[in-house]
PDB file of all heavy atoms in Angstrom:
ATOM      1  N   ASP A 280      18.929 -16.019   1.676  1.00  0.00           N
ATOM      2  CA  ASP A 280      18.624 -17.035   2.614  1.00  0.00           C
ATOM      3  C   ASP A 280      18.826 -18.487   2.068  1.00  0.00           C
ATOM      4  O   ASP A 280      18.225 -18.853   1.154  1.00  0.00           O
ATOM      5  CB  ASP A 280      17.047 -16.856   2.862  1.00  0.00           C
ATOM      6  CG  ASP A 280      16.574 -17.774   4.079  1.00  0.00           C
ATOM      7  OD1 ASP A 280      17.194 -18.838   4.283  1.00  0.00           O
ATOM      8  OD2 ASP A 280      15.566 -17.487   4.596  1.00  0.00           O
ATOM      9  N   PRO A 281      19.818 -19.085   2.638  1.00  0.00           N
ATOM     10  CA  PRO A 281      20.273 -20.348   2.026  1.00  0.00           C
ATOM     11  C   PRO A 281      19.018 -21.396   2.090  1.00  0.00           C
ATOM     12  O   PRO A 281      19.038 -22.369   1.281  1.00  0.00           O
ATOM     13  CB  PRO A 281      21.352 -20.828   2.976  1.00  0.00           C
ATOM     14  CG  PRO A 281      21.987 -19.587   3.533  1.00  0.00           C
ATOM     15  CD  PRO A 281      20.802 -18.600   3.642  1.00  0.00           C
ATOM     16  N   GLU A 282      18.174 -21.192   3.036  1.00  0.00           N
ATOM     17  CA  GLU A 282      17.133 -22.197   3.124  1.00  0.00           C
ATOM     18  C   GLU A 282      16.087 -22.038   1.965  1.00  0.00           C
ATOM     19  O   GLU A 282      15.476 -22.932   1.479  1.00  0.00           O
ATOM     20  CB  GLU A 282      16.312 -21.874   4.396  1.00  0.00           C
ATOM     21  CG  GLU A 282      15.153 -22.800   4.663  1.00  0.00           C
ATOM     22  CD  GLU A 282      14.297 -22.515   5.891  1.00  0.00           C
ATOM     23  OE1 GLU A 282      14.962 -22.106   6.899  1.00  0.00           O
ATOM     24  OE2 GLU A 282      13.121 -22.696   5.842  1.00  0.00           O
ATOM     25  N   LEU A 283      16.059 -20.872   1.357  1.00  0.00           N
ATOM     26  CA  LEU A 283      14.992 -20.591   0.350  1.00  0.00           C
ATOM     27  C   LEU A 283      15.638 -20.560  -1.055  1.00  0.00           C
ATOM     28  O   LEU A 283      14.832 -20.700  -2.059  1.00  0.00           O
ATOM     29  CB  LEU A 283      14.338 -19.163   0.668  1.00  0.00           C
ATOM     30  CG  LEU A 283      13.610 -19.073   2.012  1.00  0.00           C
ATOM     31  CD1 LEU A 283      12.985 -17.710   2.091  1.00  0.00           C
ATOM     32  CD2 LEU A 283      12.564 -20.228   2.155  1.00  0.00           C
ATOM     33  N   ARG A 286      14.653 -23.027  -4.128  1.00  0.00           N
ATOM     34  CA  ARG A 286      13.630 -23.931  -3.729  1.00  0.00           C
ATOM     35  C   ARG A 286      12.258 -23.378  -4.379  1.00  0.00           C
ATOM     36  O   ARG A 286      12.161 -22.209  -4.808  1.00  0.00           O
ATOM     37  CB  ARG A 286      13.301 -23.898  -2.200  1.00  0.00           C
ATOM     38  CG  ARG A 286      14.499 -24.526  -1.396  1.00  0.00           C
ATOM     39  CD  ARG A 286      14.141 -24.695  -0.024  1.00  0.00           C
ATOM     40  NE  ARG A 286      13.216 -25.784   0.301  1.00  0.00           N
ATOM     41  CZ  ARG A 286      13.015 -26.238   1.471  1.00  0.00           C
ATOM     42  NH1 ARG A 286      13.720 -25.874   2.481  1.00  0.00           N
ATOM     43  NH2 ARG A 286      12.183 -27.258   1.590  1.00  0.00           N
ATOM     44  N   ASP A 292       5.970 -19.745   3.098  1.00  0.00           N
ATOM     45  CA  ASP A 292       4.678 -19.896   3.693  1.00  0.00           C
ATOM     46  C   ASP A 292       3.704 -18.952   3.228  1.00  0.00           C
ATOM     47  O   ASP A 292       2.473 -19.208   2.807  1.00  0.00           O
ATOM     48  CB  ASP A 292       4.817 -19.593   5.151  1.00  0.00           C
ATOM     49  CG  ASP A 292       5.667 -20.650   5.831  1.00  0.00           C
ATOM     50  OD1 ASP A 292       5.440 -21.859   5.762  1.00  0.00           O
ATOM     51  OD2 ASP A 292       6.737 -20.280   6.416  1.00  0.00           O
ATOM     52  N   HIS A 355       6.564 -25.644   5.556  1.00  0.00           N
ATOM     53  CA  HIS A 355       7.370 -26.757   5.397  1.00  0.00           C
ATOM     54  C   HIS A 355       8.470 -26.738   6.477  1.00  0.00           C
ATOM     55  O   HIS A 355       8.713 -25.848   7.281  1.00  0.00           O
ATOM     56  CB  HIS A 355       8.249 -26.641   4.039  1.00  0.00           C
ATOM     57  CG  HIS A 355       9.084 -25.382   3.984  1.00  0.00           C
ATOM     58  ND1 HIS A 355      10.330 -25.345   4.273  1.00  0.00           N
ATOM     59  CD2 HIS A 355       8.710 -24.114   3.664  1.00  0.00           C
ATOM     60  CE1 HIS A 355      10.845 -24.093   4.041  1.00  0.00           C
ATOM     61  NE2 HIS A 355       9.868 -23.282   3.651  1.00  0.00           N
ATOM     62  N   ASP A 356       8.978 -27.935   6.669  1.00  0.00           N
ATOM     63  CA  ASP A 356       9.972 -28.160   7.699  1.00  0.00           C
ATOM     64  C   ASP A 356       9.447 -28.016   9.032  1.00  0.00           C
ATOM     65  O   ASP A 356       8.509 -27.251   9.294  1.00  0.00           O
ATOM     66  CB  ASP A 356      11.227 -27.246   7.550  1.00  0.00           C
ATOM     67  CG  ASP A 356      11.975 -27.459   6.266  1.00  0.00           C
ATOM     68  OD1 ASP A 356      11.741 -28.525   5.616  1.00  0.00           O
ATOM     69  OD2 ASP A 356      12.830 -26.643   5.880  1.00  0.00           O
ATOM     70  N   GLY A 357      10.001 -28.626  10.040  1.00  0.00           N
ATOM     71  CA  GLY A 357       9.625 -28.396  11.434  1.00  0.00           C
ATOM     72  C   GLY A 357      10.210 -27.148  11.931  1.00  0.00           C
ATOM     73  O   GLY A 357      11.292 -26.592  11.558  1.00  0.00           O
ATOM     74  N   ALA A 358       9.514 -26.520  12.985  1.00  0.00           N
ATOM     75  CA  ALA A 358       9.972 -25.226  13.479  1.00  0.00           C
ATOM     76  C   ALA A 358      11.255 -25.582  14.345  1.00  0.00           C
ATOM     77  O   ALA A 358      11.236 -26.592  15.167  1.00  0.00           O
ATOM     78  CB  ALA A 358       8.840 -24.637  14.235  1.00  0.00           C
ATOM     79  N   GLN A 359      12.217 -24.749  14.296  1.00  0.00           N
ATOM     80  CA  GLN A 359      13.450 -24.950  15.149  1.00  0.00           C
ATOM     81  C   GLN A 359      13.116 -24.392  16.516  1.00  0.00           C
ATOM     82  O   GLN A 359      12.542 -23.304  16.715  1.00  0.00           O
ATOM     83  CB  GLN A 359      14.446 -24.246  14.453  1.00  0.00           C
ATOM     84  CG  GLN A 359      14.960 -24.806  13.143  1.00  0.00           C
ATOM     85  CD  GLN A 359      16.148 -24.165  12.602  1.00  0.00           C
ATOM     86  OE1 GLN A 359      16.649 -23.294  13.212  1.00  0.00           O
ATOM     87  NE2 GLN A 359      16.684 -24.599  11.507  1.00  0.00           N
ATOM     88  N   ALA A 360      13.568 -25.106  17.431  1.00  0.00           N
ATOM     89  CA  ALA A 360      13.296 -24.632  18.926  1.00  0.00           C
ATOM     90  C   ALA A 360      14.192 -23.414  19.279  1.00  0.00           C
ATOM     91  O   ALA A 360      15.206 -23.151  18.598  1.00  0.00           O
ATOM     92  CB  ALA A 360      13.649 -25.755  19.848  1.00  0.00           C
ATOM     93  N   GLY A 361      13.793 -22.686  20.213  1.00  0.00           N
ATOM     94  CA  GLY A 361      14.520 -21.577  20.677  1.00  0.00           C
ATOM     95  C   GLY A 361      14.039 -20.191  20.237  1.00  0.00           C
ATOM     96  O   GLY A 361      13.977 -20.073  18.967  1.00  0.00           O
ATOM     97  N   ALA A 362      13.592 -19.338  21.071  1.00  0.00           N
ATOM     98  CA  ALA A 362      13.037 -18.141  20.614  1.00  0.00           C
ATOM     99  C   ALA A 362      14.055 -17.315  19.769  1.00  0.00           C
ATOM    100  O   ALA A 362      13.651 -16.405  19.029  1.00  0.00           O
ATOM    101  CB  ALA A 362      12.497 -17.348  21.833  1.00  0.00           C
ATOM    102  N   GLY A 363      15.305 -17.460  20.044  1.00  0.00           N
ATOM    103  CA  GLY A 363      16.303 -16.703  19.391  1.00  0.00           C
ATOM    104  C   GLY A 363      17.011 -17.310  18.233  1.00  0.00           C
ATOM    105  O   GLY A 363      18.000 -16.874  17.653  1.00  0.00           O
ATOM    106  N   ALA A 364      16.444 -18.564  17.799  1.00  0.00           N
ATOM    107  CA  ALA A 364      17.053 -19.244  16.728  1.00  0.00           C
ATOM    108  C   ALA A 364      17.135 -18.417  15.470  1.00  0.00           C
ATOM    109  O   ALA A 364      18.053 -18.545  14.686  1.00  0.00           O
ATOM    110  CB  ALA A 364      16.371 -20.584  16.548  1.00  0.00           C
ATOM    111  N   HIS A 365      16.092 -17.737  15.157  1.00  0.00           N
ATOM    112  CA  HIS A 365      15.978 -17.073  13.899  1.00  0.00           C
ATOM    113  C   HIS A 365      17.050 -16.006  13.768  1.00  0.00           C
ATOM    114  O   HIS A 365      17.771 -15.887  12.762  1.00  0.00           O
ATOM    115  CB  HIS A 365      14.637 -16.254  13.682  1.00  0.00           C
ATOM    116  CG  HIS A 365      14.493 -15.350  12.556  1.00  0.00           C
ATOM    117  ND1 HIS A 365      14.298 -15.897  11.267  1.00  0.00           N
ATOM    118  CD2 HIS A 365      14.718 -14.098  12.490  1.00  0.00           C
ATOM    119  CE1 HIS A 365      14.335 -14.805  10.461  1.00  0.00           C
ATOM    120  NE2 HIS A 365      14.608 -13.720  11.150  1.00  0.00           N
ATOM    121  N   ASP A 366      17.307 -15.256  14.810  1.00  0.00           N
ATOM    122  CA  ASP A 366      18.264 -14.278  14.803  1.00  0.00           C
ATOM    123  C   ASP A 366      19.775 -14.776  14.844  1.00  0.00           C
ATOM    124  O   ASP A 366      20.640 -14.397  14.255  1.00  0.00           O
ATOM    125  CB  ASP A 366      18.063 -13.318  15.938  1.00  0.00           C
ATOM    126  CG  ASP A 366      19.042 -12.068  16.119  1.00  0.00           C
ATOM    127  OD1 ASP A 366      19.130 -11.505  14.959  1.00  0.00           O
ATOM    128  OD2 ASP A 366      19.651 -11.845  17.013  1.00  0.00           O
ATOM    129  N   ALA A 367      19.823 -15.941  15.774  1.00  0.00           N
ATOM    130  CA  ALA A 367      21.227 -16.333  16.030  1.00  0.00           C
ATOM    131  C   ALA A 367      21.863 -17.094  14.758  1.00  0.00           C
ATOM    132  O   ALA A 367      23.003 -16.895  14.444  1.00  0.00           O
ATOM    133  CB  ALA A 367      21.157 -17.321  17.208  1.00  0.00           C
ATOM    134  N   ALA A 368      20.959 -17.727  14.068  1.00  0.00           N
ATOM    135  CA  ALA A 368      21.525 -18.570  13.008  1.00  0.00           C
ATOM    136  C   ALA A 368      21.321 -17.888  11.597  1.00  0.00           C
ATOM    137  O   ALA A 368      21.621 -18.463  10.559  1.00  0.00           O
ATOM    138  CB  ALA A 368      20.793 -19.943  13.000  1.00  0.00           C
ATOM    139  N   GLY A 369      20.867 -16.697  11.584  1.00  0.00           N
ATOM    140  CA  GLY A 369      20.700 -15.954  10.277  1.00  0.00           C
ATOM    141  C   GLY A 369      19.224 -16.143   9.839  1.00  0.00           C
ATOM    142  O   GLY A 369      18.449 -16.820  10.365  1.00  0.00           O
ATOM    143  N   PRO A 370      19.019 -15.367   8.739  1.00  0.00           N
ATOM    144  CA  PRO A 370      17.604 -15.392   8.158  1.00  0.00           C
ATOM    145  C   PRO A 370      17.051 -16.719   7.768  1.00  0.00           C
ATOM    146  O   PRO A 370      15.886 -16.848   7.642  1.00  0.00           O
ATOM    147  CB  PRO A 370      17.671 -14.282   7.043  1.00  0.00           C
ATOM    148  CG  PRO A 370      19.123 -14.412   6.620  1.00  0.00           C
ATOM    149  CD  PRO A 370      19.918 -14.609   7.837  1.00  0.00           C
ATOM    150  N   GLY A 371      17.903 -17.688   7.596  1.00  0.00           N
ATOM    151  CA  GLY A 371      17.405 -18.976   7.017  1.00  0.00           C
ATOM    152  C   GLY A 371      16.833 -19.896   8.177  1.00  0.00           C
ATOM    153  O   GLY A 371      16.023 -20.820   7.875  1.00  0.00           O
ATOM    154  N   SER A 372      17.046 -19.676   9.362  1.00  0.00           N
ATOM    155  CA  SER A 372      16.630 -20.512  10.485  1.00  0.00           C
ATOM    156  C   SER A 372      15.235 -20.040  10.822  1.00  0.00           C
ATOM    157  O   SER A 372      14.828 -18.953  10.695  1.00  0.00           O
ATOM    158  CB  SER A 372      17.569 -20.503  11.626  1.00  0.00           C
ATOM    159  OG  SER A 372      17.622 -19.099  12.102  1.00  0.00           O
ATOM    160  N   ARG A 373      14.442 -21.068  11.399  1.00  0.00           N
ATOM    161  CA  ARG A 373      13.145 -20.840  11.697  1.00  0.00           C
ATOM    162  C   ARG A 373      12.845 -21.032  13.177  1.00  0.00           C
ATOM    163  O   ARG A 373      12.918 -22.270  13.707  1.00  0.00           O
ATOM    164  CB  ARG A 373      12.233 -21.812  10.806  1.00  0.00           C
ATOM    165  CG  ARG A 373      12.379 -21.618   9.376  1.00  0.00           C
ATOM    166  CD  ARG A 373      11.837 -22.740   8.591  1.00  0.00           C
ATOM    167  NE  ARG A 373      10.418 -23.105   8.918  1.00  0.00           N
ATOM    168  CZ  ARG A 373       9.364 -22.517   8.435  1.00  0.00           C
ATOM    169  NH1 ARG A 373       9.505 -21.556   7.504  1.00  0.00           N
ATOM    170  NH2 ARG A 373       8.231 -22.920   8.669  1.00  0.00           N
ATOM    171  N   ALA A 374      12.542 -19.970  13.819  1.00  0.00           N
ATOM    172  CA  ALA A 374      12.248 -20.168  15.274  1.00  0.00           C
ATOM    173  C   ALA A 374      10.740 -20.755  15.511  1.00  0.00           C
ATOM    174  O   ALA A 374       9.953 -20.787  14.510  1.00  0.00           O
ATOM    175  CB  ALA A 374      12.260 -18.792  15.946  1.00  0.00           C
ATOM    176  N   ALA A 375      10.509 -21.317  16.643  1.00  0.00           N
ATOM    177  CA  ALA A 375       9.197 -21.782  16.925  1.00  0.00           C
ATOM    178  C   ALA A 375       8.261 -20.785  16.708  1.00  0.00           C
ATOM    179  O   ALA A 375       8.289 -19.675  17.106  1.00  0.00           O
ATOM    180  CB  ALA A 375       9.150 -22.321  18.401  1.00  0.00           C
ATOM    181  N   GLY A 376       7.091 -21.106  15.957  1.00  0.00           N
ATOM    182  CA  GLY A 376       6.066 -20.234  15.753  1.00  0.00           C
ATOM    183  C   GLY A 376       6.431 -19.214  14.609  1.00  0.00           C
ATOM    184  O   GLY A 376       5.793 -18.113  14.522  1.00  0.00           O
ATOM    185  N   ALA A 377       7.418 -19.530  13.814  1.00  0.00           N
ATOM    186  CA  ALA A 377       7.897 -18.527  12.737  1.00  0.00           C
ATOM    187  C   ALA A 377       7.402 -19.025  11.354  1.00  0.00           C
ATOM    188  O   ALA A 377       7.596 -20.207  11.128  1.00  0.00           O
ATOM    189  CB  ALA A 377       9.293 -18.288  12.847  1.00  0.00           C
ATOM    190  N   GLU A 378       6.880 -18.251  10.567  1.00  0.00           N
ATOM    191  CA  GLU A 378       6.534 -18.480   9.156  1.00  0.00           C
ATOM    192  C   GLU A 378       7.062 -17.432   8.273  1.00  0.00           C
ATOM    193  O   GLU A 378       6.982 -16.228   8.590  1.00  0.00           O
ATOM    194  CB  GLU A 378       5.071 -18.554   9.049  1.00  0.00           C
ATOM    195  CG  GLU A 378       4.300 -19.531  10.033  1.00  0.00           C
ATOM    196  CD  GLU A 378       2.863 -19.296  10.199  1.00  0.00           C
ATOM    197  OE1 GLU A 378       2.280 -18.431   9.489  1.00  0.00           O
ATOM    198  OE2 GLU A 378       2.279 -19.984  10.967  1.00  0.00           O
ATOM    199  N   ARG A 379       7.664 -17.803   7.212  1.00  0.00           N
ATOM    200  CA  ARG A 379       8.309 -16.853   6.345  1.00  0.00           C
ATOM    201  C   ARG A 379       7.249 -16.221   5.419  1.00  0.00           C
ATOM    202  O   ARG A 379       6.266 -16.758   4.892  1.00  0.00           O
ATOM    203  CB  ARG A 379       9.313 -17.568   5.283  1.00  0.00           C
ATOM    204  CG  ARG A 379      10.365 -18.503   6.123  1.00  0.00           C
ATOM    205  CD  ARG A 379      11.039 -17.662   7.323  1.00  0.00           C
ATOM    206  NE  ARG A 379      11.758 -16.490   6.880  1.00  0.00           N
ATOM    207  CZ  ARG A 379      12.931 -16.421   6.410  1.00  0.00           C
ATOM    208  NH1 ARG A 379      13.568 -17.605   6.308  1.00  0.00           N
ATOM    209  NH2 ARG A 379      13.565 -15.281   6.110  1.00  0.00           N
ATOM    210  N   THR A 397       9.568 -12.566   8.367  1.00  0.00           N
ATOM    211  CA  THR A 397       9.155 -13.722   9.127  1.00  0.00           C
ATOM    212  C   THR A 397       8.013 -13.369  10.040  1.00  0.00           C
ATOM    213  O   THR A 397       8.124 -12.363  10.752  1.00  0.00           O
ATOM    214  CB  THR A 397      10.383 -14.319   9.944  1.00  0.00           C
ATOM    215  OG1 THR A 397      11.467 -14.612   9.212  1.00  0.00           O
ATOM    216  CG2 THR A 397       9.893 -15.597  10.713  1.00  0.00           C
ATOM    217  N   ARG A 398       6.959 -14.075   9.888  1.00  0.00           N
ATOM    218  CA  ARG A 398       5.846 -13.859  10.888  1.00  0.00           C
ATOM    219  C   ARG A 398       6.045 -14.652  12.003  1.00  0.00           C
ATOM    220  O   ARG A 398       6.227 -15.778  12.149  1.00  0.00           O
ATOM    221  CB  ARG A 398       4.551 -14.257  10.254  1.00  0.00           C
ATOM    222  CG  ARG A 398       3.333 -13.979  11.153  1.00  0.00           C
ATOM    223  CD  ARG A 398       2.006 -14.353  10.488  1.00  0.00           C
ATOM    224  NE  ARG A 398       1.601 -15.774  10.680  1.00  0.00           N
ATOM    225  CZ  ARG A 398       0.383 -16.179  10.817  1.00  0.00           C
ATOM    226  NH1 ARG A 398      -0.571 -15.231  11.005  1.00  0.00           N
ATOM    227  NH2 ARG A 398       0.052 -17.428  11.026  1.00  0.00           N
ATOM    228  N   LEU A 399       6.185 -13.876  13.247  1.00  0.00           N
ATOM    229  CA  LEU A 399       6.466 -14.480  14.520  1.00  0.00           C
ATOM    230  C   LEU A 399       5.106 -14.438  15.339  1.00  0.00           C
ATOM    231  O   LEU A 399       4.417 -13.405  15.444  1.00  0.00           O
ATOM    232  CB  LEU A 399       7.517 -13.726  15.261  1.00  0.00           C
ATOM    233  CG  LEU A 399       8.927 -13.670  14.514  1.00  0.00           C
ATOM    234  CD1 LEU A 399       9.867 -12.758  15.291  1.00  0.00           C
ATOM    235  CD2 LEU A 399       9.409 -15.012  14.317  1.00  0.00           C
ATOM    236  N   LEU A 400       4.767 -15.521  16.000  1.00  0.00           N
ATOM    237  CA  LEU A 400       3.557 -15.693  16.797  1.00  0.00           C
ATOM    238  C   LEU A 400       3.949 -15.794  18.257  1.00  0.00           C
ATOM    239  O   LEU A 400       4.884 -16.434  18.601  1.00  0.00           O
ATOM    240  CB  LEU A 400       2.797 -16.961  16.328  1.00  0.00           C
ATOM    241  CG  LEU A 400       2.369 -16.924  14.879  1.00  0.00           C
ATOM    242  CD1 LEU A 400       1.656 -18.252  14.612  1.00  0.00           C
ATOM    243  CD2 LEU A 400       1.523 -15.834  14.502  1.00  0.00           C
TER     244      LEU A 400
END
Side-chain angles (χ1 to χ4, degrees):
D280 188 333
E282 181 186 326
L283 300 178
R286 300 186 71 164
D292 301 300
H355 60 95
D356 298 343
Q359 296 181 358
H365 172 77
D366 184 49
S372 58
R373 294 164 57 85
E378 301 165 7
R379 307 312 300 277
T397 304
R398 186 176 83 142
L399 301 173
L400 303 177

